């Protein structure tokens, strides 16, 4: 046993962090699986020196250690009651690349995709690629022996593992690598734990009856993907037990051992040359899944590098996802399945020839009805669509979800069509249907039945289905786990899959390696019942809350949070691109992920006994660094909109705790600016004079380092009414301009140029008296005020805005409120009309692009001067619209070249970057990509940014002035 003092003593020995608070423990109680178990503590070791005291503590107090990287495991591998040891933050170094011998040494927290970015200049490549490759880490890939879509060529992680370093369960350091027979026998003579491992391996695997039993009962060797139990079937085929030329290497065992045998701190990986560059994806459309698997056998004759399946359920999900529906360009009709066959050759001609021959053979066999060949940049869109499957499957409204229970079975690829027929017959018996996707080329499909694990019936069916499918897999002598591992999900069925005698060998092996069961116990062997310790308990009720925003689409607020399945897409870094999640990119803390925010909402709102369960400091703490960038709304495959969840949470939290002064000031931005605009000189002096500025910021809680937005000497509305003289040649149409609060008071020159640009291009610009956008109310959770604004603006514009007379906005965060929040804030009987109104509310970029397409605006109206533009995209625009219109419009002048800055969020995010406690994180986000890119541009390069906050952030971070699209296009007029 242990005491609180024991935990404090351990904390004092670590250079890294050690947490025992409820919040962090709650966030690490789940992974991407169906399981949940509260850990004792969470350790974030800083270096290898922190590992020994953790192991020592574990042995002394019989406390488990659960190694964890990205937490994307699907079988509960990194869920447990001990100390979660998260190496994803600090064990991230690429230690050495040997270009000549084609290997690399890495720490376990290195992300697979980022490893390949590092290796590309060397012409080298690490092959195994999971669907989570932009956040999956090498340590987790070793633990689960991950494969991926290209395993036809590259096999599994095990096939590339040369050696590992780490610690055994007694705290001794160890290295596993290939050994000659002499070295092997020398090892087993050692009088220590390492010696016992080799002695035990020899004693077990040299016995003929053991070898025969393993050969008889382990999965077929023809199955590439076999991860059932410990890989003693592979060890027995190595020297010195056979005449094999392949030397003994415990790495075969370590891969797929799920952190149950040793604690790894380093791995040496074999590399390959970069893949052939001439790639094509033959996307074969089928009328049935069965036909697609028959077609798969034909495709394999053409030596593809991947054969991946998507069924109609996944394709239907992608229709409604903002981000992924644009990737459906190659889909024709409503196929029941699409088989994506990747062909790579030395030349484009050879690749196209092979695709043609495959297509002709399929047609001759009567298989498939549409055969598009996708090449170039579009191939990434196809793969993104396929990889989105895991998250998209969670989008079903209600409590029934595709359950990760039988999603990892693998059989011989020749058995796959008949196996799937038998598989679906089992499901039909239980009135279930299943989603089919993944790796047809290697005999594995990720098959997920729709189950409600909140009910007793669903919980029992969870077990029944796995039991029956295990028997079916055994019938085909397949593997119950192909790449996702056994964990606590499948471990219980290993005795049936490989036989009791072999299972006893696995238990003995675990006992020798880890006699006190400190390394991730309860996984692979001695696992508890697979339908216990689940995220949802039988009979669990989903609480309903009266909310200001509408969550009917998800059947309530809590279910909106429960959409998160833990897949960890929000753990991408800035190197992977995209916006989600900027705070995690800056801090690398699990606490600052989209996943963590959804998890804390689910946990607290489900279990709180408070009258107002939103009155939670735990939720407030985890939500603190959410920038409400909306990146998750489009980039999360499950469409978990944490920005929306956060603003509703703040609204509910204030009911019990009141509204802080600074929040009132920020949300009253328009009112305060209206008053200050009466004396703009005095206001501007206050925030430009060093003494008064520091005092004002200190009193209001703003960062002293941050410059403040200044007021123009008059408002845009004043200029429009008193000084604007429209031309008489407005013949192309009428537009209404939304004069948002930021443009009206601060960015007035931008507003003026917007009006003049539209006027000179031939459009009649009108405006009406309207409310502010409500963005400041929305960002700070003042939803009663936001709803009042939304309702008034809706009533003002509903009868005057149409496709022919659109409402145009300049500031993305303001105008896009009409699309995003307004329909969820207006009265229930106005929602349909609010959606209709939203369809005719456009960013000025979108309007100009539309007119360019119609031929109403042409390049001849603009300069032919040559300019280079570097464009940073506004988060809300990327999430709710697109940067395509912006780029197309800016590219209209004949010699204007536009290049996107591969930045996510700028870090300002409205008021976030002004607040003193957020300033440092705000600037750190800017430093990831945006600031360095801007700084290295020549003075004559135009920096473009449509967001007022983005432009302010760029100015504060780089001293460069960024321009709105309108300013650039107005200055380009001739």
């Amino acid at each position: 046993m242990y005491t609180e003092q024991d935990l404090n003593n351990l904390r004092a020995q670590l250079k890294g962090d050690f947490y025992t608070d409820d919040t962090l423990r709650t966030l690490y109680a789940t992974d991407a699986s169906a399981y949940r178990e509260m850990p004792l503590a969470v350790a974030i070791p800083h270096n290898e020196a922190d590992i020994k005291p953790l192991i020592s503590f574990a042995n002394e107090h019989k406390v488990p250690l659960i190694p964890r990287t990205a937490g994307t495991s699907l079988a509960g591998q990194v869920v447990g009651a001990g100390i979660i040891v998260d190496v994803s933050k600090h064990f991230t170094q690429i230690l050495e690349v040997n270009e000549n011998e084609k290997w690399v040494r890495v720490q376990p927290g290195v992300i697979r995709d980022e490893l390949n970015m590092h290796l590309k200049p060397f012409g080298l490549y690490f092959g195994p690629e999971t669907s989570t490759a932009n956040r999956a880490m090498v340590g987790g890939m070793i633990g689960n022996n991950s494969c991926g879509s290209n395993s036809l060529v590259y096999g599994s992680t095990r096939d590339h593992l040369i050696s590992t370093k780490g610690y055994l369960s007694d705290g001794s350091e160890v290295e596993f690598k290939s050994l000659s027979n002499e070295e092997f026998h020398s090892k087993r003579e050692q009088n220590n734990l390492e010696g016992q491992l080799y002695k035990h391996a020899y004693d077990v695997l040299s016995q003929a009856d053991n070898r025969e039993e393993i050969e008889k009962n382990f999965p077929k060797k023809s199955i590439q993907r076999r991860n059932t139990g410990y890989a003693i079937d592979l060890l027995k085929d190595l020297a010195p037990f056979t005449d094999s030329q392949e030397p003994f290497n415990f790495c075969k065992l370590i891969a797929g051992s799920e952190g149950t045998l040793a604690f790894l701190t380093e791995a040496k990986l074999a590399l390959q040359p970069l893949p052939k560059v001439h790639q094509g994806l033959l996307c074969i459309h089928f009328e049935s899944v069965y036909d697609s698997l028959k077609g798969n056998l034909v495709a394999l004759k053409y030596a593809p590098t991947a054969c991946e399946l998507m069924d109609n359920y996944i394709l239907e999900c992608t229709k409604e996802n903002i981000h992924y529906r644009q990737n459906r360009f190659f889909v024709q009709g409503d196929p029941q399945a699409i088989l994506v066959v990747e062909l790579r050759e030395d030349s484009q001609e050879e690749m196209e020839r092979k695709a043609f021959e495959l297509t002709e053979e399929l047609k001759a066999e009567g298989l498939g009805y549409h055969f598009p060949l996708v090449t170039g940049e579009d191939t990434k869109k196809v793969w993104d669509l396929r990889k989105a499957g895991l998250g998209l499957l969670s989008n079903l409204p209600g409590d029934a979800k595709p359950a990760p229970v039988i999603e990892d079975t693998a059989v011989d690829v020749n058995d796959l069509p008949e196996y799937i027929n038998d598989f679906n017959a089992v499901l039909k018996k239980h009135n279930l249907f299943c989603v089919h996707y993944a790796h047809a080329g290697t005999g594995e499909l990720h098959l997920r039945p729709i189950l409600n694990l909140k009910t007793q019936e669903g919980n029992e069916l969870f077990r029944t289905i796995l039991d029956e499918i295990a028997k079916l897999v055994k019938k085909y002598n397949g593997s119950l786990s192909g790449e996702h591992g056994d964990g606590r999900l499948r471990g219980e069925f290993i005795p049936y899959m490989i036989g009791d005698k072999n299972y006893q060998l696995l238990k003995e092996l675990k006992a020798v390696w880890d006699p006190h069961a400190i390394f991730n116990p309860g996984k692979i062997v001695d696992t508890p019942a697979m339908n216990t310790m689940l995220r949802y308990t039988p009979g669990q009720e989903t609480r309903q809350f009266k909310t200001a925003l509408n969550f009917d689409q998800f059947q309530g607020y809590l279910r909106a949070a429960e959409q998160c399945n833990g897949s960890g897409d929000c753990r991408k870094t800035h190197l992977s691109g995209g916006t989600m999640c900027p705070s995690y990119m800056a801090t690398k803390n699990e606490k600052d992920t989209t996943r963590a925010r959804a998890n804390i909402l689910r946990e607290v709102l489900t279990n709180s006994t408070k009258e107002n369960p939103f009155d939670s400091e735990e939720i407030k703490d985890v939500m603190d660094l959410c920038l409400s960038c909306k990146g998750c709304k489009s980039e999360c495959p499950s469409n978990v909109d944490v920005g929306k969840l956060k603003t509703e949470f703040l609204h509910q939290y204030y009911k019990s705790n009141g509204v802080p002064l600074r929040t009132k000031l920020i949300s009253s931005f328009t009112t305060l600016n209206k008053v200050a605009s009466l004396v703009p000189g005095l206001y501007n002096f206050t925030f430009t004079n060093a003494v008064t500025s520091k005092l004002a910021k200190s009193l209001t809680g703003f960062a002293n380092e941050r410059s403040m937005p200044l007021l123009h000497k008059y408002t845009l509305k004043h200029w429009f009414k008193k000084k604007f003289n429209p031309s008489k040649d407005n013949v192309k149409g009428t537009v209404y301009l939304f004069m948002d609060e930021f443009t009206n008071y601060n960015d007035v020159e931008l507003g003026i140029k917007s009006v003049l640009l539209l006027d000179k291009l031939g459009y009649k610009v009108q405006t009406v008296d309207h409310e502010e956008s409500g963005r400041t109310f929305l960002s700070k959770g003042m939803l009663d005020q936001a709803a009042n604004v939304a309702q008034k603006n809706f009533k003002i514009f509903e009868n005057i805005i149409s496709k022919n007379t659109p409402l145009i906005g300049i500031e993305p965060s303001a105008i896009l409120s009409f699309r995003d929040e307004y329909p969820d804030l207006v009265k229930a009987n106005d929602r349909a009309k609010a959606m209709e109104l939203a369809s005719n509310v456009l960013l000025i970029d979108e309007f100009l692009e539309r007119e360019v397409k119609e031929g109403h605006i042409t390049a001849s109206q603009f300069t032919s001067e040559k300019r280079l533009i570097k464009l940073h995209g506004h988060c809300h625009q990327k999430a709710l619209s697109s940067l395509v219109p912006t780029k197309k419009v800016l590219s209209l002048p004949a010699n204007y070249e536009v290049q996107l800055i591969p930045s996510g969020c700028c870090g300002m995010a409205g008021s976030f970057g002004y607040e003193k406690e957020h300033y440092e994180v705000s600037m750190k986000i800017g430093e990831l990509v945006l600031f360095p890119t801007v700084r290295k541009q020549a003075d004559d390069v135009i920096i473009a940014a449509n967001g007022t906050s983005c432009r302010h952030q760029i100015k504060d971070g780089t001293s460069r002035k960024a321009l709105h699209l309108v300013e650039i296009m107005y200055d380009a007029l001739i």
Side-chain angles (χ1 to χ4, degrees), residues 869 886-898 969:
I869 301 169
T886 311
K887 187 174 182 183
K888 285 185 177 180
V889 173
L890 288 174
S891 301
L892 182 61
N895 294 307
Y896 275 28
E897 179 186 356
V898 183
M969 298 305 291

Side-chain angles (χ1 to χ4, degrees), residues 317-337:
C317 286
T318 62
K319 287 181 178 178
E320 303 303 321
N321 183 280
I322 296 171
H323 181 67
Y324 291 106
R325 64 187 174 208
Q326 62 188 326
N327 296 338
R328 290 175 47 89
F329 66 94
F330 65 96
V331 180
Q332 184 180 98
D334 289 306
Q336 290 300 297

Side-chain angles (χ1 to χ4, degrees), residues 738 769-774 787-798 807 818 822 837:
F738 186 78
D769 287 335
H770 60 74
E771 298 294 309
E772 60 186 286
S773 72
N788 183 51
V789 167
Q791 188 67 32
K792 287 182 178 179
N793 276 334
F794 164 70
K795 287 298 181 183
I796 289 168
F797 290 111
E798 68 167 322
L807 180 63
F818 281 83
Y822 279 20
L837 170 64

Side-chain angles (χ1 to χ4, degrees), residues 73 75 77 138-147 156-159 161 164 218 226-234 250-262 264 408 481-487 494 506 509 520 523-525:
S73 297
Q77 283 94 331
V138 170
M141 293 182 72
I142 293 171
N144 291 344
N145 188 33
S146 299
C147 299
S156 66
T157 302
R158 174 184 286 134
D159 300 318
L161 191 57
T164 61
F218 266 71
R226 53 190 202 279
N227 269 349
T228 298
Y230 294 124
I232 57 175
D233 59 326
L234 298 181
F250 264 135
C251 287
K252 296 286 186 185
L253 184 69
I254 292 297
S257 64
E258 303 178 357
T260 63
L261 301 180
L264 301 188
D408 196 33
S481 171
E483 63 175 341
H484 293 163
D486 295 312
I494 293 176
L506 302 191
L509 184 148
N520 208 11
K523 318 295 162 45
I524 301 181
V525 298

Side-chain angles (χ1 to χ4, degrees), residues 2-55:
Y2 57 87
T3 65
E4 189 67 28
Q5 186 59 49
D6 293 327
L7 294 174
N8 289 334
N9 290 341
L10 175 58
R11 181 182 289 109
Q13 295 178 60
L14 304 177
K15 186 176 181 181
D17 298 312
F18 188 77
Y19 301 98
T20 55
D21 60 280
D22 288 345
T23 299
L24 262 292
R25 292 167 56 229
T26 297
L27 298 182
Y28 281 85
T30 54
D31 54 6
S33 73
Y35 292 94
R36 176 195 179 277
E37 188 169 7
M38 190 69 80
L40 166 67
V42 176
I44 316 287
H46 190 268
N47 52 32
E48 287 193 34
D50 282 347
I51 305 302
K52 274 195 171 185
L54 286 167
I55 293 175

